[in-house]
Each structure stands twice: as C-alpha cells, then as structure tokens.
Amino acid sequence: MRQLFEVLETVSGTASTILVTGETGTGKEIVARAIHHNSPRKNHRFVALNCGAIPENLLEAELFGHVRGAFTGAVATRAGRLEQASGGTLFLDEVGTMSAGLQAKLLRALQEREFERVGDSHSIRVDVRFIAATNSDLEGMVDDGSFRKDLYYRLNVIPIHLPPLRERRDDIPILVKSLLHKLGQQLDPARGEVA
C-alpha cells in the first residue's frame, strides 16, 4: 500500500488518464477522489458516474447531456456529467459495462476533448481529467471483442491496481480503528444513542 500511495502522489500532479482496477469494494472511487483532491484540479468539480448503474438507453444522455426534444421526456436541455466536470475530474466507474456504440463516443471525447449532446450537432469542448475504474478484466474483454482496444489503451495510460483486503491483512487493524473512530463520533455521549 505504501507503493500505491507513492504512485498516487506522483500521478496526482499530472493530467494523464488513469485506469483503476480491482475487485468490488477495494476503494476505487476513494482512490479517484484522492487523486483529484491532490491535483491542480482540486478547486473544480469531481463528477462521478457509475456506468453500470444506469440503463444503457439513458447512459449516453447522462454522460453527454441532451437537448430539449432529443427523446421522450427530454423537456429541457441538460448538461451531462462530462460537461459538468469541465476543469475538474470525471470518474467513470464500471466503464467495462458500456456498449460498443457508447465506447466509440467516449473514445472520441477522450481523443478530441469535445462531444455533442444527444440530439445536437454543436460540439462542446471540455477540459477534463478522466479516471476510469472497473472490476472487469478489460484485457480479456479486448481479446474477446467486447471492449474496444483503442479505448482500452486511451484509458490505461496510468494503470493502478488495488489489491483486495485479503491480500493486505496488515491494513485490517488500521481500518477497524478508523471505523470505530467514525462510529464514536456518531454516538451522542450524553445519551449513548446514535445521533
């Protein structure tokens, strides 16, 4: 973990795209937030998008935004997460769940730093640092054709792998102490009840 912290300290100051891999629950979003909050972009937004939690037909509009009338229910123009993160960091969690069509649009946004809202032909330029995360084997997905090879290499500029807790047992006492401290802060000492 000390090596990981050294890597995080080094990469925080860069504008490079980062791919964080690891099992569910290893703290990929915490790592992404730490990178952002220790970067020159820390005074701008950190915007997170869980690509696996949003239905595919809505994910494109959530990522890129949409114009009024672009689809049923689009009653107003809306900025997407990519536009909201301009100047800051966009964290794409579970990026391996994206469809091939959306992967192509994300690749263009990564390469050109511009995109179009759904239903619009006007390009919007952004200054965004991308951090992606996955618990999937993206290399295997590239091999079987379910994930674009060019997108994988654009995302995997700086790879960071988070080992599961079972491989870093020395961290368990530190985590327990931290959790107990947080729980202690939530207790109302006068009544012994949770605040």
Side-chain angles (χ1 to χ4, degrees):
M1 290 306 288
R2 286 188 184 102
Q3 290 175 331
L4 173 64
F5 294 141
E6 289 172 11
V7 169
L8 294 181
E9 188 176 331
T10 302
V11 302
S12 291
T14 73
S16 298
T17 301
I18 296 172
L19 179 62
V20 185
T21 58
E23 294 178 10
T24 299
T26 53
K28 294 181 291 292
E29 185 168 347
I30 292 170
V31 165
R33 286 182 184 278
I35 291 168
H36 172 76
H37 290 296
N38 289 294
S39 78
R41 296 175 178 269
K42 65 184 173 189
N43 294 325
H44 297 280
R45 290 188 66 185
F46 174 90
V47 178
L49 177 62
N50 185 334
C51 302
I54 299 172
E56 180 60 36
N57 60 337
L58 299 177
L59 184 57
E60 181 179 2
E62 194 63 33
L63 180 57
F64 298 114
H66 60 78
V67 295
R68 181 178 180 202
F71 51 85
T72 303
V75 295
T77 296
R78 182 175 172 276
R81 303 287 178 95
L82 184 55
E83 191 174 349
Q84 293 169 16
S86 193
T89 302
L90 178 63
F91 174 61
L92 298 172
D93 198 8
E94 299 310 334
V95 71
T97 62
M98 283 186 175
S99 69
L102 197 49
Q103 289 177 35
K105 291 178 181 182
L106 176 60
L107 177 64
R108 181 176 183 276
L110 273 162
Q111 290 174 327
E112 306 300 327
R113 300 294 196 226
E114 67 179 34
F115 65 95
E116 292 85 33
R117 290 177 179 157
V118 175
D120 198 0
S121 59
H122 173 72
S123 291
I124 298 171
R125 292 202 58 79
V126 288
D127 172 25
V128 173
R129 180 192 205 156
F130 289 88
I131 301 177
T134 187
N135 62 9
S136 302
D137 174 14
L138 289 187
E139 285 187 52
M141 292 174 70
V142 166
D143 291 342
D144 71 22
S146 59
F147 199 83
R148 293 180 62 111
K149 185 176 185 177
D150 47 3
L151 178 58
Y152 172 71
Y153 286 114
R154 284 280 180 184
L155 292 173
N156 197 33
V157 175
I158 298 177
I160 295 176
H161 179 72
L162 297 179
L165 191 57
R166 68 179 171 277
E167 293 178 12
R168 46 190 178 101
R169 294 181 190 266
D170 291 345
D171 291 346
I172 293 173
I174 298 166
L175 290 170
V176 169
K177 185 177 179 180
S178 174
L179 289 171
L180 288 174
H181 177 73
K182 284 183 181 181
L183 286 172
Q185 288 179 328
Q186 292 175 356
L187 292 177
D188 181 350
R191 298 188 301 183
E193 299 173 351
V194 175

PDB file of all heavy atoms in Angstrom, residues 45-81:
ATOM      1  N   ARG A  45     -14.770  20.642  -9.982  1.00  0.00           N
ATOM      2  CA  ARG A  45     -15.632  19.527  -9.595  1.00  0.00           C
ATOM      3  C   ARG A  45     -15.008  18.155  -9.834  1.00  0.00           C
ATOM      4  O   ARG A  45     -14.294  17.940 -10.806  1.00  0.00           O
ATOM      5  CB  ARG A  45     -16.956  19.592 -10.364  1.00  0.00           C
ATOM      6  CG  ARG A  45     -17.810  20.753  -9.908  1.00  0.00           C
ATOM      7  CD  ARG A  45     -19.178  20.709 -10.511  1.00  0.00           C
ATOM      8  NE  ARG A  45     -19.905  19.545  -9.997  1.00  0.00           N
ATOM      9  CZ  ARG A  45     -21.105  19.186 -10.424  1.00  0.00           C
ATOM     10  NH1 ARG A  45     -21.706  19.873 -11.363  1.00  0.00           N
ATOM     11  NH2 ARG A  45     -21.708  18.141  -9.934  1.00  0.00           N
ATOM     12  N   PHE A  46     -15.335  17.246  -8.942  1.00  0.00           N
ATOM     13  CA  PHE A  46     -15.115  15.816  -9.125  1.00  0.00           C
ATOM     14  C   PHE A  46     -16.492  15.252  -9.410  1.00  0.00           C
ATOM     15  O   PHE A  46     -17.392  15.329  -8.575  1.00  0.00           O
ATOM     16  CB  PHE A  46     -14.534  15.178  -7.855  1.00  0.00           C
ATOM     17  CG  PHE A  46     -14.418  13.677  -7.945  1.00  0.00           C
ATOM     18  CD1 PHE A  46     -13.261  13.108  -8.438  1.00  0.00           C
ATOM     19  CD2 PHE A  46     -15.447  12.854  -7.531  1.00  0.00           C
ATOM     20  CE1 PHE A  46     -13.141  11.722  -8.521  1.00  0.00           C
ATOM     21  CE2 PHE A  46     -15.339  11.474  -7.610  1.00  0.00           C
ATOM     22  CZ  PHE A  46     -14.177  10.907  -8.108  1.00  0.00           C
ATOM     23  N   VAL A  47     -16.698  14.723 -10.601  1.00  0.00           N
ATOM     24  CA  VAL A  47     -18.003  14.219 -11.014  1.00  0.00           C
ATOM     25  C   VAL A  47     -17.887  12.719 -11.237  1.00  0.00           C
ATOM     26  O   VAL A  47     -17.060  12.266 -12.028  1.00  0.00           O
ATOM     27  CB  VAL A  47     -18.494  14.924 -12.296  1.00  0.00           C
ATOM     28  CG1 VAL A  47     -19.824  14.362 -12.746  1.00  0.00           C
ATOM     29  CG2 VAL A  47     -18.589  16.427 -12.070  1.00  0.00           C
ATOM     30  N   ALA A  48     -18.706  11.960 -10.531  1.00  0.00           N
ATOM     31  CA  ALA A  48     -18.674  10.503 -10.633  1.00  0.00           C
ATOM     32  C   ALA A  48     -19.898  10.010 -11.400  1.00  0.00           C
ATOM     33  O   ALA A  48     -20.999  10.541 -11.247  1.00  0.00           O
ATOM     34  CB  ALA A  48     -18.651   9.879  -9.243  1.00  0.00           C
ATOM     35  N   LEU A  49     -19.676   8.988 -12.215  1.00  0.00           N
ATOM     36  CA  LEU A  49     -20.762   8.356 -12.963  1.00  0.00           C
ATOM     37  C   LEU A  49     -20.551   6.850 -12.920  1.00  0.00           C
ATOM     38  O   LEU A  49     -19.534   6.350 -13.404  1.00  0.00           O
ATOM     39  CB  LEU A  49     -20.769   8.851 -14.411  1.00  0.00           C
ATOM     40  CG  LEU A  49     -21.805   8.222 -15.347  1.00  0.00           C
ATOM     41  CD1 LEU A  49     -23.217   8.516 -14.854  1.00  0.00           C
ATOM     42  CD2 LEU A  49     -21.632   8.740 -16.764  1.00  0.00           C
ATOM     43  N   ASN A  50     -21.498   6.136 -12.332  1.00  0.00           N
ATOM     44  CA  ASN A  50     -21.432   4.680 -12.292  1.00  0.00           C
ATOM     45  C   ASN A  50     -22.108   4.153 -13.549  1.00  0.00           C
ATOM     46  O   ASN A  50     -23.331   4.113 -13.639  1.00  0.00           O
ATOM     47  CB  ASN A  50     -22.113   4.140 -11.035  1.00  0.00           C
ATOM     48  CG  ASN A  50     -21.950   2.638 -10.910  1.00  0.00           C
ATOM     49  OD1 ASN A  50     -21.780   1.922 -11.893  1.00  0.00           O
ATOM     50  ND2 ASN A  50     -22.035   2.153  -9.691  1.00  0.00           N
ATOM     51  N   CYS A  51     -21.308   3.771 -14.521  1.00  0.00           N
ATOM     52  CA  CYS A  51     -21.822   3.342 -15.823  1.00  0.00           C
ATOM     53  C   CYS A  51     -22.649   2.066 -15.729  1.00  0.00           C
ATOM     54  O   CYS A  51     -23.528   1.840 -16.551  1.00  0.00           O
ATOM     55  CB  CYS A  51     -20.662   3.135 -16.795  1.00  0.00           C
ATOM     56  SG  CYS A  51     -19.648   4.607 -17.035  1.00  0.00           S
ATOM     57  N   GLY A  52     -22.398   1.252 -14.730  1.00  0.00           N
ATOM     58  CA  GLY A  52     -23.132   0.002 -14.577  1.00  0.00           C
ATOM     59  C   GLY A  52     -24.471   0.166 -13.892  1.00  0.00           C
ATOM     60  O   GLY A  52     -25.302  -0.734 -13.924  1.00  0.00           O
ATOM     61  N   ALA A  53     -24.712   1.313 -13.277  1.00  0.00           N
ATOM     62  CA  ALA A  53     -25.945   1.514 -12.516  1.00  0.00           C
ATOM     63  C   ALA A  53     -27.038   2.215 -13.318  1.00  0.00           C
ATOM     64  O   ALA A  53     -28.153   2.359 -12.835  1.00  0.00           O
ATOM     65  CB  ALA A  53     -25.645   2.323 -11.253  1.00  0.00           C
ATOM     66  N   ILE A  54     -26.711   2.652 -14.522  1.00  0.00           N
ATOM     67  CA  ILE A  54     -27.657   3.410 -15.334  1.00  0.00           C
ATOM     68  C   ILE A  54     -28.022   2.588 -16.561  1.00  0.00           C
ATOM     69  O   ILE A  54     -27.128   2.071 -17.244  1.00  0.00           O
ATOM     70  CB  ILE A  54     -27.053   4.773 -15.747  1.00  0.00           C
ATOM     71  CG1 ILE A  54     -26.756   5.586 -14.490  1.00  0.00           C
ATOM     72  CG2 ILE A  54     -27.984   5.533 -16.673  1.00  0.00           C
ATOM     73  CD1 ILE A  54     -25.997   6.854 -14.742  1.00  0.00           C
ATOM     74  N   PRO A  55     -29.305   2.454 -16.855  1.00  0.00           N
ATOM     75  CA  PRO A  55     -29.694   1.693 -18.049  1.00  0.00           C
ATOM     76  C   PRO A  55     -29.012   2.243 -19.296  1.00  0.00           C
ATOM     77  O   PRO A  55     -28.827   3.450 -19.441  1.00  0.00           O
ATOM     78  CB  PRO A  55     -31.217   1.893 -18.127  1.00  0.00           C
ATOM     79  CG  PRO A  55     -31.628   2.263 -16.744  1.00  0.00           C
ATOM     80  CD  PRO A  55     -30.458   2.997 -16.139  1.00  0.00           C
ATOM     81  N   GLU A  56     -28.629   1.339 -20.176  1.00  0.00           N
ATOM     82  CA  GLU A  56     -27.872   1.691 -21.377  1.00  0.00           C
ATOM     83  C   GLU A  56     -28.532   2.803 -22.181  1.00  0.00           C
ATOM     84  O   GLU A  56     -27.866   3.702 -22.669  1.00  0.00           O
ATOM     85  CB  GLU A  56     -27.681   0.448 -22.253  1.00  0.00           C
ATOM     86  CG  GLU A  56     -26.905   0.689 -23.526  1.00  0.00           C
ATOM     87  CD  GLU A  56     -25.486   1.209 -23.291  1.00  0.00           C
ATOM     88  OE1 GLU A  56     -24.852   0.785 -22.325  1.00  0.00           O
ATOM     89  OE2 GLU A  56     -25.026   2.038 -24.095  1.00  0.00           O
ATOM     90  N   ASN A  57     -29.857   2.772 -22.297  1.00  0.00           N
ATOM     91  CA  ASN A  57     -30.536   3.784 -23.117  1.00  0.00           C
ATOM     92  C   ASN A  57     -30.487   5.173 -22.481  1.00  0.00           C
ATOM     93  O   ASN A  57     -30.727   6.166 -23.162  1.00  0.00           O
ATOM     94  CB  ASN A  57     -31.980   3.375 -23.412  1.00  0.00           C
ATOM     95  CG  ASN A  57     -32.806   3.191 -22.148  1.00  0.00           C
ATOM     96  OD1 ASN A  57     -32.270   2.954 -21.072  1.00  0.00           O
ATOM     97  ND2 ASN A  57     -34.105   3.287 -22.279  1.00  0.00           N
ATOM     98  N   LEU A  58     -30.160   5.284 -21.210  1.00  0.00           N
ATOM     99  CA  LEU A  58     -30.051   6.579 -20.540  1.00  0.00           C
ATOM    100  C   LEU A  58     -28.609   7.017 -20.308  1.00  0.00           C
ATOM    101  O   LEU A  58     -28.343   8.186 -20.055  1.00  0.00           O
ATOM    102  CB  LEU A  58     -30.776   6.539 -19.187  1.00  0.00           C
ATOM    103  CG  LEU A  58     -32.267   6.254 -19.215  1.00  0.00           C
ATOM    104  CD1 LEU A  58     -32.811   6.180 -17.796  1.00  0.00           C
ATOM    105  CD2 LEU A  58     -33.000   7.308 -20.019  1.00  0.00           C
ATOM    106  N   LEU A  59     -27.683   6.076 -20.400  1.00  0.00           N
ATOM    107  CA  LEU A  59     -26.290   6.367 -20.065  1.00  0.00           C
ATOM    108  C   LEU A  59     -25.677   7.420 -20.981  1.00  0.00           C
ATOM    109  O   LEU A  59     -24.961   8.304 -20.520  1.00  0.00           O
ATOM    110  CB  LEU A  59     -25.460   5.082 -20.089  1.00  0.00           C
ATOM    111  CG  LEU A  59     -23.999   5.206 -19.655  1.00  0.00           C
ATOM    112  CD1 LEU A  59     -23.895   5.791 -18.246  1.00  0.00           C
ATOM    113  CD2 LEU A  59     -23.321   3.843 -19.723  1.00  0.00           C
ATOM    114  N   GLU A  60     -25.984   7.369 -22.271  1.00  0.00           N
ATOM    115  CA  GLU A  60     -25.421   8.344 -23.194  1.00  0.00           C
ATOM    116  C   GLU A  60     -25.849   9.759 -22.823  1.00  0.00           C
ATOM    117  O   GLU A  60     -25.033  10.681 -22.772  1.00  0.00           O
ATOM    118  CB  GLU A  60     -25.836   8.036 -24.636  1.00  0.00           C
ATOM    119  CG  GLU A  60     -25.243   9.010 -25.635  1.00  0.00           C
ATOM    120  CD  GLU A  60     -25.629   8.701 -27.075  1.00  0.00           C
ATOM    121  OE1 GLU A  60     -26.396   7.748 -27.318  1.00  0.00           O
ATOM    122  OE2 GLU A  60     -25.150   9.429 -27.961  1.00  0.00           O
ATOM    123  N   ALA A  61     -27.138   9.950 -22.530  1.00  0.00           N
ATOM    124  CA  ALA A  61     -27.634  11.276 -22.152  1.00  0.00           C
ATOM    125  C   ALA A  61     -27.063  11.707 -20.807  1.00  0.00           C
ATOM    126  O   ALA A  61     -26.786  12.885 -20.592  1.00  0.00           O
ATOM    127  CB  ALA A  61     -29.156  11.285 -22.110  1.00  0.00           C
ATOM    128  N   GLU A  62     -26.862  10.763 -19.905  1.00  0.00           N
ATOM    129  CA  GLU A  62     -26.290  11.085 -18.591  1.00  0.00           C
ATOM    130  C   GLU A  62     -24.838  11.539 -18.746  1.00  0.00           C
ATOM    131  O   GLU A  62     -24.396  12.474 -18.087  1.00  0.00           O
ATOM    132  CB  GLU A  62     -26.376   9.864 -17.672  1.00  0.00           C
ATOM    133  CG  GLU A  62     -26.122  10.162 -16.232  1.00  0.00           C
ATOM    134  CD  GLU A  62     -27.130  11.097 -15.593  1.00  0.00           C
ATOM    135  OE1 GLU A  62     -28.312  11.083 -15.956  1.00  0.00           O
ATOM    136  OE2 GLU A  62     -26.701  11.873 -14.709  1.00  0.00           O
ATOM    137  N   LEU A  63     -24.108  10.903 -19.633  1.00  0.00           N
ATOM    138  CA  LEU A  63     -22.700  11.231 -19.845  1.00  0.00           C
ATOM    139  C   LEU A  63     -22.528  12.510 -20.659  1.00  0.00           C
ATOM    140  O   LEU A  63     -21.775  13.406 -20.273  1.00  0.00           O
ATOM    141  CB  LEU A  63     -21.990  10.072 -20.544  1.00  0.00           C
ATOM    142  CG  LEU A  63     -20.506  10.243 -20.856  1.00  0.00           C
ATOM    143  CD1 LEU A  63     -19.699  10.536 -19.599  1.00  0.00           C
ATOM    144  CD2 LEU A  63     -19.974   8.994 -21.547  1.00  0.00           C
ATOM    145  N   PHE A  64     -23.244  12.625 -21.770  1.00  0.00           N
ATOM    146  CA  PHE A  64     -23.034  13.737 -22.699  1.00  0.00           C
ATOM    147  C   PHE A  64     -24.085  14.843 -22.601  1.00  0.00           C
ATOM    148  O   PHE A  64     -23.910  15.908 -23.190  1.00  0.00           O
ATOM    149  CB  PHE A  64     -22.994  13.222 -24.138  1.00  0.00           C
ATOM    150  CG  PHE A  64     -21.870  12.265 -24.391  1.00  0.00           C
ATOM    151  CD1 PHE A  64     -22.129  10.940 -24.695  1.00  0.00           C
ATOM    152  CD2 PHE A  64     -20.548  12.680 -24.324  1.00  0.00           C
ATOM    153  CE1 PHE A  64     -21.090  10.045 -24.933  1.00  0.00           C
ATOM    154  CE2 PHE A  64     -19.512  11.799 -24.547  1.00  0.00           C
ATOM    155  CZ  PHE A  64     -19.785  10.476 -24.852  1.00  0.00           C
ATOM    156  N   GLY A  65     -25.173  14.614 -21.887  1.00  0.00           N
ATOM    157  CA  GLY A  65     -26.248  15.597 -21.830  1.00  0.00           C
ATOM    158  C   GLY A  65     -27.157  15.449 -23.042  1.00  0.00           C
ATOM    159  O   GLY A  65     -26.951  14.592 -23.895  1.00  0.00           O
ATOM    160  N   HIS A  66     -28.183  16.304 -23.103  1.00  0.00           N
ATOM    161  CA  HIS A  66     -29.121  16.231 -24.223  1.00  0.00           C
ATOM    162  C   HIS A  66     -29.761  17.592 -24.433  1.00  0.00           C
ATOM    163  O   HIS A  66     -29.730  18.453 -23.551  1.00  0.00           O
ATOM    164  CB  HIS A  66     -30.197  15.167 -23.976  1.00  0.00           C
ATOM    165  CG  HIS A  66     -31.016  15.412 -22.742  1.00  0.00           C
ATOM    166  ND1 HIS A  66     -32.031  16.337 -22.669  1.00  0.00           N
ATOM    167  CD2 HIS A  66     -30.935  14.853 -21.514  1.00  0.00           C
ATOM    168  CE1 HIS A  66     -32.553  16.332 -21.463  1.00  0.00           C
ATOM    169  NE2 HIS A  66     -31.908  15.453 -20.726  1.00  0.00           N
ATOM    170  N   VAL A  67     -30.330  17.769 -25.617  1.00  0.00           N
ATOM    171  CA  VAL A  67     -31.083  18.985 -25.915  1.00  0.00           C
ATOM    172  C   VAL A  67     -32.568  18.688 -25.764  1.00  0.00           C
ATOM    173  O   VAL A  67     -32.990  17.533 -25.808  1.00  0.00           O
ATOM    174  CB  VAL A  67     -30.775  19.533 -27.336  1.00  0.00           C
ATOM    175  CG1 VAL A  67     -29.325  19.970 -27.431  1.00  0.00           C
ATOM    176  CG2 VAL A  67     -31.121  18.526 -28.406  1.00  0.00           C
ATOM    177  N   ARG A  68     -33.312  19.724 -25.589  1.00  0.00           N
ATOM    178  CA  ARG A  68     -34.764  19.594 -25.449  1.00  0.00           C
ATOM    179  C   ARG A  68     -35.337  18.889 -26.680  1.00  0.00           C
ATOM    180  O   ARG A  68     -34.993  19.219 -27.813  1.00  0.00           O
ATOM    181  CB  ARG A  68     -35.388  20.974 -25.301  1.00  0.00           C
ATOM    182  CG  ARG A  68     -36.870  20.938 -25.129  1.00  0.00           C
ATOM    183  CD  ARG A  68     -37.419  22.313 -24.949  1.00  0.00           C
ATOM    184  NE  ARG A  68     -38.851  22.229 -24.799  1.00  0.00           N
ATOM    185  CZ  ARG A  68     -39.676  23.208 -25.024  1.00  0.00           C
ATOM    186  NH1 ARG A  68     -39.221  24.386 -25.398  1.00  0.00           N
ATOM    187  NH2 ARG A  68     -40.968  23.047 -24.867  1.00  0.00           N
ATOM    188  N   GLY A  69     -36.186  17.906 -26.442  1.00  0.00           N
ATOM    189  CA  GLY A  69     -36.835  17.190 -27.528  1.00  0.00           C
ATOM    190  C   GLY A  69     -36.008  16.078 -28.145  1.00  0.00           C
ATOM    191  O   GLY A  69     -36.432  15.442 -29.110  1.00  0.00           O
ATOM    192  N   ALA A  70     -34.821  15.803 -27.606  1.00  0.00           N
ATOM    193  CA  ALA A  70     -33.956  14.768 -28.182  1.00  0.00           C
ATOM    194  C   ALA A  70     -34.584  13.379 -28.072  1.00  0.00           C
ATOM    195  O   ALA A  70     -34.339  12.513 -28.903  1.00  0.00           O
ATOM    196  CB  ALA A  70     -32.589  14.778 -27.504  1.00  0.00           C
ATOM    197  N   PHE A  71     -35.388  13.173 -27.049  1.00  0.00           N
ATOM    198  CA  PHE A  71     -36.082  11.900 -26.856  1.00  0.00           C
ATOM    199  C   PHE A  71     -37.277  12.160 -25.947  1.00  0.00           C
ATOM    200  O   PHE A  71     -37.402  13.235 -25.362  1.00  0.00           O
ATOM    201  CB  PHE A  71     -35.147  10.831 -26.257  1.00  0.00           C
ATOM    202  CG  PHE A  71     -34.419  11.284 -25.023  1.00  0.00           C
ATOM    203  CD1 PHE A  71     -34.995  11.195 -23.762  1.00  0.00           C
ATOM    204  CD2 PHE A  71     -33.132  11.805 -25.120  1.00  0.00           C
ATOM    205  CE1 PHE A  71     -34.313  11.619 -22.628  1.00  0.00           C
ATOM    206  CE2 PHE A  71     -32.442  12.216 -23.998  1.00  0.00           C
ATOM    207  CZ  PHE A  71     -33.034  12.129 -22.746  1.00  0.00           C
ATOM    208  N   THR A  72     -38.153  11.189 -25.846  1.00  0.00           N
ATOM    209  CA  THR A  72     -39.330  11.325 -24.994  1.00  0.00           C
ATOM    210  C   THR A  72     -38.883  11.602 -23.560  1.00  0.00           C
ATOM    211  O   THR A  72     -38.047  10.892 -23.020  1.00  0.00           O
ATOM    212  CB  THR A  72     -40.171  10.032 -25.024  1.00  0.00           C
ATOM    213  OG1 THR A  72     -40.520   9.762 -26.377  1.00  0.00           O
ATOM    214  CG2 THR A  72     -41.429  10.181 -24.187  1.00  0.00           C
ATOM    215  N   GLY A  73     -39.402  12.654 -22.981  1.00  0.00           N
ATOM    216  CA  GLY A  73     -39.040  13.025 -21.618  1.00  0.00           C
ATOM    217  C   GLY A  73     -37.956  14.082 -21.539  1.00  0.00           C
ATOM    218  O   GLY A  73     -37.665  14.589 -20.459  1.00  0.00           O
ATOM    219  N   ALA A  74     -37.339  14.428 -22.664  1.00  0.00           N
ATOM    220  CA  ALA A  74     -36.310  15.474 -22.671  1.00  0.00           C
ATOM    221  C   ALA A  74     -37.000  16.823 -22.817  1.00  0.00           C
ATOM    222  O   ALA A  74     -37.046  17.406 -23.895  1.00  0.00           O
ATOM    223  CB  ALA A  74     -35.311  15.242 -23.797  1.00  0.00           C
ATOM    224  N   VAL A  75     -37.547  17.321 -21.701  1.00  0.00           N
ATOM    225  CA  VAL A  75     -38.338  18.550 -21.736  1.00  0.00           C
ATOM    226  C   VAL A  75     -37.487  19.810 -21.666  1.00  0.00           C
ATOM    227  O   VAL A  75     -37.972  20.910 -21.898  1.00  0.00           O
ATOM    228  CB  VAL A  75     -39.391  18.568 -20.603  1.00  0.00           C
ATOM    229  CG1 VAL A  75     -40.408  17.461 -20.809  1.00  0.00           C
ATOM    230  CG2 VAL A  75     -38.723  18.439 -19.239  1.00  0.00           C
ATOM    231  N   ALA A  76     -36.207  19.648 -21.351  1.00  0.00           N
ATOM    232  CA  ALA A  76     -35.301  20.796 -21.283  1.00  0.00           C
ATOM    233  C   ALA A  76     -33.896  20.332 -21.656  1.00  0.00           C
ATOM    234  O   ALA A  76     -33.564  19.155 -21.530  1.00  0.00           O
ATOM    235  CB  ALA A  76     -35.287  21.394 -19.872  1.00  0.00           C
ATOM    236  N   THR A  77     -33.076  21.268 -22.112  1.00  0.00           N
ATOM    237  CA  THR A  77     -31.685  20.967 -22.400  1.00  0.00           C
ATOM    238  C   THR A  77     -30.954  20.738 -21.081  1.00  0.00           C
ATOM    239  O   THR A  77     -31.194  21.439 -20.098  1.00  0.00           O
ATOM    240  CB  THR A  77     -31.045  22.125 -23.190  1.00  0.00           C
ATOM    241  OG1 THR A  77     -31.721  22.224 -24.448  1.00  0.00           O
ATOM    242  CG2 THR A  77     -29.569  21.904 -23.423  1.00  0.00           C
ATOM    243  N   ARG A  78     -30.092  19.741 -21.075  1.00  0.00           N
ATOM    244  CA  ARG A  78     -29.392  19.386 -19.833  1.00  0.00           C
ATOM    245  C   ARG A  78     -27.930  19.065 -20.115  1.00  0.00           C
ATOM    246  O   ARG A  78     -27.608  18.321 -21.036  1.00  0.00           O
ATOM    247  CB  ARG A  78     -30.067  18.160 -19.209  1.00  0.00           C
ATOM    248  CG  ARG A  78     -29.472  17.735 -17.905  1.00  0.00           C
ATOM    249  CD  ARG A  78     -30.287  16.577 -17.309  1.00  0.00           C
ATOM    250  NE  ARG A  78     -29.623  16.041 -16.157  1.00  0.00           N
ATOM    251  CZ  ARG A  78     -28.647  15.132 -16.201  1.00  0.00           C
ATOM    252  NH1 ARG A  78     -28.220  14.676 -17.337  1.00  0.00           N
ATOM    253  NH2 ARG A  78     -28.093  14.692 -15.087  1.00  0.00           N
ATOM    254  N   ALA A  79     -27.045  19.628 -19.302  1.00  0.00           N
ATOM    255  CA  ALA A  79     -25.611  19.319 -19.387  1.00  0.00           C
ATOM    256  C   ALA A  79     -25.370  17.933 -18.812  1.00  0.00           C
ATOM    257  O   ALA A  79     -25.939  17.558 -17.788  1.00  0.00           O
ATOM    258  CB  ALA A  79     -24.804  20.351 -18.616  1.00  0.00           C
ATOM    259  N   GLY A  80     -24.516  17.165 -19.465  1.00  0.00           N
ATOM    260  CA  GLY A  80     -24.159  15.839 -18.972  1.00  0.00           C
ATOM    261  C   GLY A  80     -22.993  15.899 -18.001  1.00  0.00           C
ATOM    262  O   GLY A  80     -22.424  16.957 -17.730  1.00  0.00           O
ATOM    263  N   ARG A  81     -22.630  14.746 -17.484  1.00  0.00           N
ATOM    264  CA  ARG A  81     -21.555  14.672 -16.488  1.00  0.00           C
ATOM    265  C   ARG A  81     -20.220  15.142 -17.053  1.00  0.00           C
ATOM    266  O   ARG A  81     -19.435  15.759 -16.349  1.00  0.00           O
ATOM    267  CB  ARG A  81     -21.416  13.247 -15.962  1.00  0.00           C
ATOM    268  CG  ARG A  81     -22.675  12.679 -15.355  1.00  0.00           C
ATOM    269  CD  ARG A  81     -22.994  13.289 -13.994  1.00  0.00           C
ATOM    270  NE  ARG A  81     -24.218  12.746 -13.468  1.00  0.00           N
ATOM    271  CZ  ARG A  81     -24.284  11.720 -12.616  1.00  0.00           C
ATOM    272  NH1 ARG A  81     -23.191  11.149 -12.187  1.00  0.00           N
ATOM    273  NH2 ARG A  81     -25.449  11.289 -12.204  1.00  0.00           N
TER     274      ARG A  81
END
